[in-house]
Amino acid sequence: DGNYSMNLKVNDTRLSKEFAVAANGISVGESKLRFDPYFNYDENVLKLSYLNFDGENFNLNIYDENGLVYETKLGKDFSISSGYDLSRLNSGKYRIVMSSFNNEFTYSLNK
């Protein structure tokens, strides 16, 4: 007996379904279809977009090999879309982390 969640991920698309098992049977909830954020880095500009179906409060952190370089709040709007000029950052490897309480998405780039 208990509550369970099934998650299926194919590329950037996720499907999740919650279900409960009890002595009297299994009850299945509705399916949730979600898409990972889109990241693109071109000509020193990092662009990201995300459809925030669940209204989660997201933050964005940028890390280099030594640690945190930049952080900002993205908010909890349904459509999150931002661009960042990274021309002032030194050459090197960077890890972009977009996170909420329930989700974390990462993107790596070489500058």
Side-chain angles (χ1 to χ4, degrees), residues 23 26-27 40 58 60 72-73 78 103 106 108-111:
I26 298 173
S27 62
N40 185 42
F58 277 91
L60 181 77
T72 189
K73 295 180 181 194
F78 173 75
N103 288 296
T106 60
S108 297
L109 66 89
N110 290 318
K111 183 174 179 320

Side-chain angles (χ1 to χ4, degrees), residues 25-68:
I26 298 173
S27 62
V28 180
E30 292 185 32
S31 296
K32 289 184 181 180
L33 183 64
R34 300 295 183 260
F35 304 96
D36 287 353
Y38 169 78
F39 292 97
N40 185 42
Y41 177 69
D42 189 34
E43 297 184 18
N44 283 317
V45 176
L46 171 68
K47 296 177 185 176
L48 68 90
S49 62
Y50 179 66
L51 293 177
N52 188 7
F53 289 100
D54 298 316
E56 296 182 84
N57 199 11
F58 277 91
N59 296 311
L60 181 77
N61 294 330
I62 300 176
Y63 299 91
D64 67 7
E65 295 172 347
N66 298 314
L68 183 65

Side-chain angles (χ1 to χ4, degrees), residues 70-105:
Y70 178 77
E71 64 182 329
T72 189
K73 295 180 181 194
L74 297 173
K76 57 183 181 177
D77 291 339
F78 173 75
S79 177
I80 296 174
S81 181
S82 295
Y84 299 91
D85 179 0
L86 304 183
S87 61
R88 292 186 176 187
L89 294 180
N90 295 328
S91 296
K93 295 180 181 181
Y94 291 88
R95 185 170 54 99
I96 314 304
V97 179
M98 181 179 164
S99 62
S100 69
F101 183 75
N102 294 317
N103 288 296
E104 180 175 286
F105 305 101

Side-chain angles (χ1 to χ4, degrees), residues 1-5 17-29:
D1 289 358
N3 295 320
Y4 299 91
S5 178
K17 185 172 276 216
E18 295 183 0
F19 60 97
V21 177
N24 61 349
I26 298 173
S27 62
V28 180

